Amino acid sequence: NSIWVSTDHDEIEKVAKQFGAQVHRRSPEVSQDSSTSLEAIKEFLNHHHEVDIVGNIQATSPCLHPSDLIKVADLIQKEGFDSVFSVVRRHQFRWSEVKKGENKMTEPQNLNPAKRYRRQDWPGELYENGSFYFAKRHLIEKGYLQGGKMAYYEMRAEHSVDIDIDIDWPIAEQRVLSFGYFGKEPLKEVKLLVCSVDGCLTNGRIYVTEDQKEMVSYDYRDIVGIDLLKKRGIQIRLISERDCSKTLSAMRLGCIAKVSATNKLQVLEDWQKDMGLSWKEVAYLGNEESDVECLKKVGMSGVPADACAVAQKAAGYICKSKGGCGAVREFVEHIFLLLEKVNSARKQ
């Protein structure tokens, strides 16, 4: 009935509202490192007496699909369950732990070694995957997320992604692009990347010699990234608010460029129309306020790590690399991941 984000962070509140969610400001008491989701939900219910069912969706499970949530809501609203939680089937043999110094042997927990299954012939076991917990109000007020008439909802293994430690991030990024939910509109293959020169391809610094010649620096990894795009048949065009034609000529990138661009969005629209592309087929890498409208328009948008705040808010992807320090190459890799998603969808 309503979507809420529970947080004590100003920036998260802004982003949540930007995407149409309502915000519940957590109190300091339930915003500690040791605070549990249940404590935050109980506090929320104290302020919202109209709520009788809560679906707690974990932000650390980014492959959740709307179709799963609709089915779970039906289990509670139409089939009378008091709580429903997500599980995934795993085929893992468990053994008892033997602590260091103990004179014990390990014991099998869910298998008979004398009649060992091939794992593909074994039905496996159900494990909570942490994607969501749905429960009626009366259970939560008693301090439970699971109880009463309970049901589990088995999710597909490829949708069961849990970000718990740092190493989970790159795995999750790959899974999301392969199996994540991208809305009802089919994905389009990127055919054009437009990149802002100053602050993206370069670090934005301009060095002036005594004879008033300008010099800039760039990262060779970014040049390799541009070459990789070209080999995949994707066009790259460059755009700049200042006249940097001599610099671009010296870099020998072989890309169409528009310098002294006073209206970047107009230039982008002209290129998009001339090439006969939909906006879903255009990617844009920018870093300044002048790039914001372009970032909002395209199908795939990105900014370097040191982009200005308004550009970061408008972008779909924020690079870990700074401008002129590999951000272009990183965004190119991100585009390649999307292309893998498109190709996977076509095969299906």
Side-chain angles (χ1 to χ4, degrees):
N1 297 78
S2 59
I3 299 172
W4 294 78
V5 171
S6 175
T7 184
D8 66 332
H9 194 280
D10 292 340
E11 189 64 24
I12 292 175
E13 177 178 3
K14 290 179 183 178
V15 173
K17 289 180 177 178
Q18 178 184 338
F19 283 91
Q22 300 179 70
V23 173
H24 170 76
R25 290 293 298 206
R26 290 191 194 185
S27 68
E29 289 75 24
V30 298
S31 300
Q32 308 300 315
D33 289 342
S34 58
S35 297
T36 65
S37 297
L38 181 58
E39 290 171 337
I41 295 171
K42 288 177 71 175
E43 181 192 71
F44 173 84
L45 288 179
N46 288 336
H47 292 84
H48 296 275
H49 300 287
E50 76 281 5
V51 176
D52 57 354
I53 299 173
V54 172
N56 177 33
I57 301 170
Q58 304 279 64
T60 48
S61 300
C63 270
L64 187 59
H65 283 231
S67 57
D68 291 328
L69 297 178
I70 292 169
K71 293 174 184 176
V72 171
D74 285 344
L75 286 173
I76 286 188
Q77 294 174 313
K78 297 180 181 180
E79 298 187 32
F81 287 97
D82 296 309
S83 60
V84 185
F85 55 93
S86 58
V87 300
V88 63
R89 189 173 298 274
R90 291 179 180 169
H91 297 79
Q92 296 174 323
F93 296 135
R94 292 182 287 107
W95 292 78
S96 62
E97 182 180 358
V98 178
K99 295 182 179 179
K100 194 173 182 178
E102 290 184 341
N103 188 22
K104 293 182 180 179
M105 292 190 301
T106 185
E107 298 287 342
Q109 298 293 298
N110 61 349
L111 77 152
N112 180 354
K115 298 180 179 179
R116 186 183 177 93
Y117 290 107
R118 291 195 315 162
R119 287 199 294 177
Q120 58 266 43
D121 297 330
W122 177 46
E125 297 179 326
L126 297 177
Y127 288 79
E128 287 186 28
N129 67 359
S131 285
F132 57 78
Y133 299 86
F134 278 61
K136 290 184 177 177
R137 183 188 187 98
H138 69 88
L139 279 176
I140 297 172
E141 289 178 334
K142 293 177 182 178
Y144 304 118
L145 277 175
Q146 297 156 303
K149 185 181 177 182
M150 291 184 288
Y152 62 78
Y153 180 86
E154 185 175 348
M155 289 177 58
R156 293 165 58 180
E158 59 266 32
H159 293 168
S160 297
V161 178
D162 183 35
I163 300 175
D164 188 39
I165 57 177
D166 288 350
I167 198 172
D168 294 332
W169 272 104
I171 297 172
E173 288 177 345
Q174 291 278 352
R175 284 282 193 94
V176 167
L177 285 166
S178 296
F179 306 109
Y181 181 74
F182 288 84
K184 296 180 180 180
E185 187 176 344
L187 288 171
K188 294 282 188 177
E189 186 171 343
V190 172
K191 295 182 179 179
L192 169 66
L193 168 62
V194 177
C195 177
S196 182
V197 176
D198 301 304
C200 291
L201 185 59
T202 74
N203 60 12
R205 295 179 180 176
I206 300 174
Y207 304 89
V208 182
T209 63
E210 290 183 356
D211 55 356
Q212 297 184 339
K213 290 183 178 179
E214 293 185 358
M215 294 188 299
V216 297
S217 64
Y218 62 90
D219 193 315
Y220 184 69
R221 292 173 296 178
D222 292 334
I223 307 305
V224 173
I226 290 174
D227 288 338
L228 289 172
L229 279 182
K230 289 180 179 179
K231 290 177 181 178
R232 293 285 290 266
I234 299 172
Q235 287 202 39
I236 303 93
R237 297 192 177 185
L238 306 175
I239 192 167
S240 175
E241 291 178 277
R242 68 186 189 90
D243 185 0
C244 56
S245 52
K246 291 183 179 179
T247 299
L248 295 176
S249 177
M251 293 171 73
R252 298 180 180 178
L253 298 174
C255 301
I256 293 174
K258 175 65 176 178
V259 299
S260 304
T262 55
N263 187 335
K264 290 183 176 179
L265 181 59
Q266 185 61 59
V267 174
L268 183 64
E269 289 177 340
D270 290 342
W271 282 343
Q272 176 251 341
K273 291 176 182 177
D274 290 344
M275 295 178 67
L277 303 177
S278 70
W279 285 115
K280 289 285 186 181
E281 296 171 307
V282 181
Y284 192 95
L285 185 67
N287 72 302
E288 272 299 340
E289 191 169 347
S290 58
D291 296 307
V292 168
E293 294 306 316
C294 297
L295 292 167
K296 291 179 179 179
K297 198 81 173 176
V298 298
M300 176 176 278
S301 59
V303 294
D306 54 349
C308 72
V310 290
Q312 289 193 17
K313 288 180 182 179
Y317 181 79
I318 300 176
C319 298
K320 299 177 181 66
S321 306
K322 294 182 179 180
C325 299
V328 176
R329 175 62 185 270
E330 182 181 339
F331 192 55
V332 167
E333 296 289 345
H334 187 63
I335 292 174
F336 287 160
L337 288 175
L338 176 69
L339 295 181
E340 289 179 15
K341 168 68 179 176
V342 174
N343 291 332
S344 176
R346 286 175 177 170
K347 290 177 182 177
Q348 291 175 1

